[in-house]
Amino acid sequence: MSYLPGDPIQKNQLILDLISNRQEAISGNIANMDTPNYVRKDIEFSQYLNTMPGSLETRLSQKLGPSGVIEAREQTLSAEDELAIMQKNSMLYGVAARNLSSTITKMKTAINVAS
């Protein structure tokens, strides 16, 4: 998805898509924990988020890392660590979803006032 500066709907959609993709990667890590030679995967966001103005994007990019693509990382898998990352990611998704809902509500209000 390409991001258009100033388009709050696309910005929020990109954030939700990235967080959703990370959830899938974490789920795969948990599912493959006992698979021989499996390499942990993760998705990191700041490459995308740093291109967007706004405090939410800045905070998310600081928390979620440097690259923006699924990367293989040679790390020992721990169910507890993966589940903690998954929970944190779920909370970030909730924050991003509420931000999108708020943006849509503001746009509806603006349209109704202008009508």
Side-chain angles (χ1 to χ4, degrees):
M1 167 188 287
S2 62
Y3 168 69
L4 300 174
D7 185 341
I9 299 295
Q10 275 195 331
K11 175 174 74 171
N12 284 295
Q13 184 177 353
L14 174 62
I15 291 169
L16 290 170
D17 288 346
L18 290 170
I19 294 170
S20 177
N21 289 340
R22 186 172 199 211
Q23 199 75 355
E24 289 179 30
I26 296 166
S27 297
N29 292 338
I30 293 169
N32 288 293
M33 210 163 240
D34 294 327
T35 302
N37 300 319
Y38 180 76
V39 178
R40 180 180 184 272
K41 295 179 177 44
D42 199 354
I43 193 163
E44 299 185 10
F45 300 85
S46 66
Q47 174 181 329
Y48 294 108
L49 298 178
N50 282 335
T51 64
M52 298 182 213
S55 60
L56 173 65
E57 293 79 19
T58 301
R59 288 192 310 271
L60 282 173
S61 67
Q62 289 169 346
K63 292 208 179 273
L64 297 176
S67 84
V69 295
I70 292 182
E71 297 180 346
R73 295 187 179 171
E74 306 240 358
Q75 294 179 338
T76 305
L77 294 176
S78 157
E80 295 82 15
D81 292 342
E82 292 296 323
L83 290 171
I85 293 167
M86 181 177 270
Q87 181 63 32
K88 180 179 176 183
N89 198 60
S90 294
M91 289 187 287
L92 289 171
Y93 190 89
V95 168
R98 284 190 299 276
N99 190 38
L100 176 59
S101 178
S102 174
T103 300
I104 292 170
T105 300
K106 289 175 188 175
M107 293 174 88
K108 285 180 179 179
T109 301
I111 291 168
N112 288 336
V113 168
S115 299

